[in-house]
Amino acid sequence: MSSNIRKVVLAYSGGLDTSVILKWIKKTYGCEVITVTCDLGQEEELDGLEDKALRTGATKAYIDDLREEFAKDFIFPMLRAGAVYEGRYLLGTSIARPLIAKRLVEVARAEGAQAVAHGATGKGNDQVRFELTTGVLAPDLRTIAPWREWDFASRTDLLNFAKENGIPVPSDKKGSDHSMDRNLLHLSFEGGELEDPWNEPSQDTYLLTVPVEKAPDTADVVTIDFEHGDPVAVNGERLSPAALIKKLNTLGGKHGIGRIDMVENRFVGMKSRGIYETPGGTILHIAKRDLEGICLDREVMHLRDSLIPRYAEMVYNGFWYAPERKALQAMIDEASRRVTGTVRVKLYKGQAYPLGRKSPNSLYNPKLATFEKDEVYNQADATGFIRLVGLRLRGLGE
């Protein structure tokens, strides 16, 4: 392998794959490996990871709490855009990858590394997301993607390598048959019995949300305050971005809100079945969308809505730092300046129901909308309006 690589920065979780990758890079490239573990709210035990990385061969191990940056600078801009991929997926995994890659680049610069490395497979979207981000932020850095280089083909191969090299193997745990990814916004499951799209997921697939059958028979009603498109308070309590999402995750999970089971189209060309739990994100998406109904001009809203699929594709495919996403974000943020107000939401049996909304920027005019007598709208004007908008249709027939 290239002798030009003397130091590599690895995205490290402490699991089987990245532990094997750490040792494999050292043996294959004969270089130093520095690990970076990003706390994005995965709620996994991070204690001991530094020691494990060092014992596995890392020369230095970073463990960084990025939860607030993740919420404020990545989740919230995407929330302002109303981004949903293929009509259902709220992009919890997709939006985390640019931040992890950004941190890899920052550490690589600080440590004088020549390459970064990740544990994404050659079949998935994450490899694209990591490497497109690195390509923008540090095009001179090489990326090492072991799953595209080594001869290992199975979990058994990795276990054998770990045993031969004295690498501690994580004990099996609930849900270990699945590939799981958790962060502040969501928890995803793939693999195992889920690879047959006809199979119903087992109940132990879900960790954040209760089954709707076991959700409380009594609803919770919450208020969510927004300022310029960003949520800032729950039930009148102002919270940091990360704390706010975490609070709504707890409330939403209690009521079974935010479960999605779908087959999606990966950027690399295949279809993949995934299970997603996004309790807090689902509540925020529904509440903000409802508030926009009274705050946004019709044409601005419709234009923004027409661009949501494009924006969502940019995030899903890994183009967070691309100029087209930034340009679209600028338009979205300009529209979001008006989205300030409060939404009252009922949480009940797997759903979030808006009950009321108010805003100092409301465009709703009760004098125009009323079914009672008013002094501001001449109903006879509608006759000419209808004739003009229907002019081209007259005479077309069946």
Side-chain angles (χ1 to χ4, degrees), residues 8 44 76 96 171 174 205 207 248 306 317 338 340 358 361:
V8 175
E44 295 172 357
F76 278 12
S171 60
K174 182 178 178 181
T205 302
L207 298 179
L248 289 177
S306 72
N317 294 341
R338 293 192 56 86
T340 294
K358 61 182 180 179
N361 300 327

Side-chain angles (χ1 to χ4, degrees), residues 40-56:
L40 301 183
Q42 56 265 45
E43 300 291 340
E44 295 172 357
E45 184 55 65
L46 298 178
D47 290 342
L49 275 189
E50 179 180 5
D51 181 62
K52 181 177 181 180
L54 296 175
R55 283 188 290 111
T56 308

